[in-house]
Amino acid sequence: MSLPLIGILRGITPDEAVDVGEALLAAGLDRLEVPLNSPEPLESIRRLAEALGDRAAVGAGTVLTPEQVRDVHAAGGRLIVSPNCRPAVIEETRRLGMASYPGIVTPSEAFDALDAGATALKLFPAVQVGLEGMKAVRAVLPAGTALYAVGGIGVDNFAQWRAAGVDGAGLGSALYKPGLGAEEVGERARQLVEAWRAADPAS
């Protein structure tokens, strides 16, 4: 079963994308995000989508406009992650049949995102909101709303965030930093996957 974890590959280049993607897939991560402020992000997405095919859902992060959504879709992307809540971005994502993960902090943003059709909500930055703030937001969300924590979540605190009610996580610098080779990224991914499973026996 696919884990509710998104690997964030900020700064990756097209030439290393496929090797890193294969390493992440082997470690158990099958949702991969290439932020659009990476070098040649659409080319990295295209290569990952072609190489991994149906084995993984590849897409983009730091997506801010409907035009960028269309560019990612044309490159073969299947998921869109944003740092903010823009209904027009969410609606275009869903119109094109892709999964939408908009960034939210407040209940107002959360409900705007859900009204626009968000697949799941990205609590960002989670480290700023904190566990108590997250629980307050979680308490008012409709039953069944998937909430992902992004920013400051990893091996050391998965258990606390899971116990407090998050459903998934986006993994950034704990997983990948520019210059890391595929083998090291794969090892980091394995440790993160093991820690997530330990925090959530149901997975």
Side-chain angles (χ1 to χ4, degrees):
M1 184 174 70
S2 177
L3 293 177
L5 301 172
I6 299 175
I8 303 169
L9 304 178
R10 189 179 307 279
I12 201 161
T13 65
D15 287 344
E16 60 189 339
V18 172
D19 286 346
V20 169
E22 290 284 6
L24 293 179
L25 199 56
L29 293 180
D30 62 1
R31 287 182 247 187
L32 311 180
E33 164 199 335
V34 178
L36 291 184
N37 56 1
S38 304
E40 299 183 78
L42 295 173
E43 179 61 16
S44 291
I45 291 167
R46 185 188 67 78
R47 294 188 189 185
L48 281 166
E50 288 182 356
L52 303 182
D54 292 337
R55 295 180 294 149
V58 176
T62 320
V63 179
L64 305 176
T65 68
E67 181 181 15
Q68 290 176 334
V69 173
R70 292 189 287 273
D71 289 343
V72 173
H73 182 262
R78 293 166 52 194
L79 59 87
I80 295 290
V81 184
S82 298
N84 57 354
C85 173
R86 289 290 179 269
V89 171
I90 300 166
E91 289 163 1
E92 185 67 359
T93 301
R94 301 301 285 156
R95 185 185 73 81
L96 292 171
M98 295 190 289
S100 170
Y101 300 83
I104 64 98
V105 169
T106 67
S108 292
E109 292 170 336
F111 282 100
D112 285 348
L114 292 173
D115 287 347
T119 306
L121 302 179
K122 166 187 168 180
L123 185 71
F124 176 79
V127 67
Q128 175 184 324
V129 178
L131 290 169
E132 293 305 315
M134 185 279 292
K135 285 192 279 189
V137 173
R138 169 98 269 177
V140 300
L141 294 177
T145 301
L147 184 65
Y148 283 57
V150 181
I153 185 167
V155 169
D156 295 335
N157 57 13
F158 273 157
Q160 295 97 305
W161 283 95
R162 282 293 297 131
V166 297
D167 302 292
L171 308 173
S173 58
L175 175 68
Y176 176 82
K177 294 178 182 176
L180 294 181
E183 185 175 347
E184 183 172 354
V185 176
E187 180 55 36
R188 287 180 172 219
R190 280 187 287 276
Q191 292 174 7
L192 287 159
V193 166
E194 287 174 6
W196 179 264
R197 286 181 167 145
D200 181 19
S203 67

